[in-house]
Amino acid sequence: MNVAAILKGKGRAVATTRPEALMQIVVEKLAAKKIGAIVVVGANGVVAGIISERDIIRAIAERGPDALTLPVSEFMTRQVVSCGEGDTLDELMATMTASRFRHIPVIEDRSLVGIVSIGDVVKHHIAEVEMEASALRTYLVAG
Ligand code: AMP
């Protein structure tokens, strides 16, 4: 199972915002879309960062409610770890576990073409494990 197969199932829509957007707008977007992170894209269309609910909690803890009146660029993570469509489910799981984040944007030819969350990874991993178990049961019964 690779990233292309995951995107085939879930689609390629990615929630994005601009670095100058206010945190309040991001909070509203996350709530409305029931998601945990938004990719920040610059005017040139290139990914400039990612902002997740964890960053918002940290922003409010450090700056108080006024954080919501500040731009996303102040709190986003700039060094975004991305993947390509050919990357495998196992590689994504390893990256998310080692780096302790739950979202990986998919970038091909410098364009944002999708995003994979830990929810997508867990869902496909369970499906793979169930298929393996079912194949083993069939093999044992046949033997
Ligand atoms: P998350 O677990 O996705 O809510 O993110 C936890 C922290 O990691 C936050 O500071 C995010 O900005 C950051 N983060 C999330 N996804 C990525 C990513 N793909 N690359 C780099 N940092 C990330």
Side-chain angles (χ1 to χ4, degrees), residues 98-112:
S99 309
R100 305 189 67 169
F101 48 62
R102 298 166 290 178
H103 303 88
I104 303 188
V106 188
I107 296 180
E108 287 288 337
D109 297 329
R110 301 183 74 218
S111 295
L112 183 62

Side-chain angles (χ1 to χ4, degrees), residues 36-39 49-56 58 75-83 95-96 99-105 115-118:
I38 289 185
V39 179
I50 187 164
I51 181 130
S52 89
E53 45 203 5
R54 293 234 172 119
D55 300 312
I56 295 164
R58 185 170 42 84
F75 303 106
M76 68 187 188
T77 300
R78 290 172 189 271
Q79 295 295 321
V80 179
V81 175
S82 63
C83 66
T95 303
M96 284 181 176
S99 309
R100 305 189 67 169
F101 48 62
R102 298 166 290 178
H103 303 88
I104 303 188
I115 188 163
V116 179
S117 75
I118 199 157

Side-chain angles (χ1 to χ4, degrees), residues 27-47:
V27 168
E28 286 167 15
K29 225 179 207 180
L30 289 174
K33 293 184 177 286
K34 299 187 171 78
I35 54 175
I38 289 185
V39 179
V40 185
V41 178
N44 53 4
V46 173
V47 171

